[in-house]
Amino acid sequence: MDLLTKVFGIQVQSENWNKQNGLPLYIAGSYDFAAATLNGCRCIVLTPREELVTLPALKKEIKKIQEIDNVPVVLKLPTISYYRRNKMIENNIPFITDRQIFLPFMGTFLANETGEEKERKKFIFSTQQLVLLYLYQNKKKLYGRL
């Protein structure tokens, strides 16, 4: 949020948002919630606790949050990939990272993210299948169909 003050010269006032009890548990447990006032514009800031969900799921979650409190919902992320950034801009989903701001109701400041690739801790199902197939064939090259 310091970037907002640096780039736009506005003060950010933040407080707890205590309306998450009206949300489904999968949403209430996935984010840290805060109500913020940005230059007189009230919004809800979501900070994901884990991996961010897919874009269609995110849009549904934002819609549910806005049913309780009809103000803009802003995602606060440490970094964002180029692809996800473009998709969020296309879908008009506000976000703030340590280096970028996209607030369609206020302003935009975009820069290239040059963060480290984060380490993957899980294989998706299709990757698990390929690894197991390779291991069970006990050969140096992988042949066959899934």
Side-chain angles (χ1 to χ4, degrees), residues 91-127:
N91 287 281
N92 212 29
I93 298 174
F95 64 86
I96 298 173
T97 70
D98 294 339
R99 299 187 48 157
Q100 301 187 72
I101 301 169
F102 177 68
L103 301 174
F105 54 90
M106 183 171 293
T108 301
F109 176 76
L110 300 174
N112 288 332
E113 294 274 348
T114 55
E116 297 177 17
E117 282 288 319
K118 67 179 182 179
E119 183 179 320
R120 303 283 181 203
K121 295 184 180 178
K122 298 178 187 176
F123 281 137
I124 59 173
F125 182 69
S126 58
T127 306

Side-chain angles (χ1 to χ4, degrees), residues 18-37:
N18 297 320
K19 297 181 182 179
Q20 60 263 41
N21 293 338
L23 293 170
L25 289 175
Y26 70 93
I27 297 175
S30 297
Y31 302 97
D32 291 325
F33 296 85
T37 305

Side-chain angles (χ1 to χ4, degrees), residues 1 47 121 141 144:
M1 295 290 201
T47 306
K121 295 184 180 178
K141 294 185 178 182

Side-chain angles (χ1 to χ4, degrees), residues 31-124:
Y31 302 97
D32 291 325
F33 296 85
T37 305
L38 313 172
N39 204 28
C41 181
R42 189 169 168 277
C43 63
I44 300 167
V45 179
L46 303 180
T47 306
R49 292 182 181 165
E50 297 176 1
E51 183 88 18
L52 196 59
V53 295
T54 62
L55 193 64
L58 182 62
K59 288 168 66 172
K60 289 177 186 176
E61 290 177 359
I62 289 172
K63 185 177 177 185
K64 286 201 179 280
I65 293 167
Q66 287 179 323
E67 288 173 3
I68 293 174
D69 199 348
N70 192 21
V71 295
V73 175
V74 178
L75 285 163
K76 185 173 187 289
L77 307 166
T79 62
I80 190 168
S81 69
Y82 178 78
Y83 175 79
R84 181 161 267 182
R85 177 183 83 173
N86 289 344
K87 288 299 178 186
M88 289 179 75
I89 291 170
E90 284 175 18
N91 287 281
N92 212 29
I93 298 174
F95 64 86
I96 298 173
T97 70
D98 294 339
R99 299 187 48 157
Q100 301 187 72
I101 301 169
F102 177 68
L103 301 174
F105 54 90
M106 183 171 293
T108 301
F109 176 76
L110 300 174
N112 288 332
E113 294 274 348
T114 55
E116 297 177 17
E117 282 288 319
K118 67 179 182 179
E119 183 179 320
R120 303 283 181 203
K121 295 184 180 178
K122 298 178 187 176
F123 281 137
I124 59 173

